[in-house]
Amino acid sequence: MRYFVELRYDGAAYCGWQRQPDMPTVQQTIEQALTKLLRKQTEIVGAGRTDTGVNASYYVAHFDTDNQIDSTLVLYKLNMMLPKDIAVFSISAVSETAHARFDALEREYTYFISQTKNPFRRHSAWLYYVQLDIDAMNKAAAKLMNYSDFTSFAKLNSNNKTNICRIMDAHWSVEDDGILRFTIRADRFLRNMVRSIVGTLVDVGRGRYSVEEFCKIVEARDLRLSSAGAPAQGLFLSDVVYDKEIFVKSI
């Protein structure tokens, strides 16, 4: 039987989601706990990879078992076994063909910037003291939806079959506590794409680039023209969307 798992994690201690030899990863950590709990080697497939230090406030994965399990009991025991920086909040039976990665229709990432020192956000936001023009950043972000080729924000040697993505939303907002929040939603993302976009939009906000120059960077399809990627700790995978006939999220 196949089960979808909904979870969240603090990525600070991990070298990303994907299993790596001799490196701590989120996937490996969950697999070790599931294998011990179910008493059988169990692999888990995620909705996508997140890089070293990147977080997930909402993530979906799936695993298979030979027999039906008590989801409530396994959920409880799994959380007891997992470290404090990984939390599973739902385990749901799905069809045998449902796939956490390939059936995902949309993904959303959120990035946080703090412009004042905040000890409670040191692991979850980029501390950036320079005042930023949010209006200009929003004008530039809105332009992203006019494009489909994001080679200028794609990490080199990532073995992407295509750099084409469809962005449905990209905007900045200011939280009640003054934290800047960037939200971007697309059908797929390239490796390091969001952090590279954020870094370049911040350069728009501080006046290094105009909105028109930002558009030229996108159109150039040249990674050398985009800004350095924003730090990992401010980035969260925040949503994964599936067809309701496959899976309805519980949060």
Side-chain angles (χ1 to χ4, degrees), residues 105-111 137-148 150 165-173 181-189 193-194 197-198 201 214 235-236 238-239 241:
L105 303 176
E106 300 176 13
R107 295 172 178 84
E108 178 189 86
Y109 279 90
T110 307
Y111 196 93
M137 293 162 68
N138 262 325
K139 289 177 182 177
K143 298 292 185 181
L144 290 167
M145 287 172 279
N146 296 335
Y147 300 98
S148 58
F150 294 97
C165 306
R166 182 171 63 93
I167 294 179
M168 299 88 160
D169 181 37
H171 70 274
W172 291 88
S173 58
R181 176 184 181 132
F182 177 62
T183 303
I184 184 167
R185 183 178 290 267
D187 61 344
R188 64 188 294 265
F189 288 93
M193 175 178 166
V194 180
I197 287 175
V198 169
L201 287 173
F214 176 81
L235 182 60
F236 289 74
S238 49
D239 196 16
V241 176

Side-chain angles (χ1 to χ4, degrees), residues 1-5 61-63 65 68-69 71 91-94:
M1 294 193 65
R2 177 158 294 182
Y3 292 86
F4 265 26
V5 181
H62 77 253
F63 68 92
T65 64
Q68 185 175 351
I69 63 173
S71 297
I91 298 177
S92 306
V94 294

Side-chain angles (χ1 to χ4, degrees), residues 85-212:
D85 50 12
I86 302 176
V88 175
F89 53 88
S90 173
I91 298 177
S92 306
V94 294
S95 71
E96 296 291 336
T97 58
H99 199 286
R101 178 184 175 190
F102 297 135
D103 285 336
L105 303 176
E106 300 176 13
R107 295 172 178 84
E108 178 189 86
Y109 279 90
T110 307
Y111 196 93
F112 297 95
I113 296 177
S114 177
Q115 297 202 273
T116 58
K117 188 175 181 180
N118 184 338
F120 302 109
R121 297 304 298 263
R122 67 189 187 280
H123 298 308
S124 60
W126 178 14
L127 178 59
Y128 193 84
Y129 288 115
V130 178
Q131 290 300 306
L132 299 171
D133 185 339
I134 303 300
D135 288 340
M137 293 162 68
N138 262 325
K139 289 177 182 177
K143 298 292 185 181
L144 290 167
M145 287 172 279
N146 296 335
Y147 300 98
S148 58
D149 190 322
F150 294 97
T151 301
S152 292
F153 305 115
K155 188 171 184 177
L156 294 175
N157 304 316
S158 294
N159 298 319
N160 296 317
K161 293 183 179 179
T162 175
N163 290 335
I164 301 299
C165 306
R166 182 171 63 93
I167 294 179
M168 299 88 160
D169 181 37
H171 70 274
W172 291 88
S173 58
V174 182
E175 306 280 277
D176 291 340
D177 59 359
I179 297 288
L180 306 185
R181 176 184 181 132
F182 177 62
T183 303
I184 184 167
R185 183 178 290 267
D187 61 344
R188 64 188 294 265
F189 288 93
L190 309 173
R191 190 175 180 186
N192 208 50
M193 175 178 166
V194 180
R195 290 166 61 192
S196 183
I197 287 175
V198 169
T200 310
L201 287 173
V202 165
D203 276 344
V204 171
R206 70 186 184 93
R208 180 181 180 186
Y209 302 129
S210 65
V211 175
E212 292 71 24

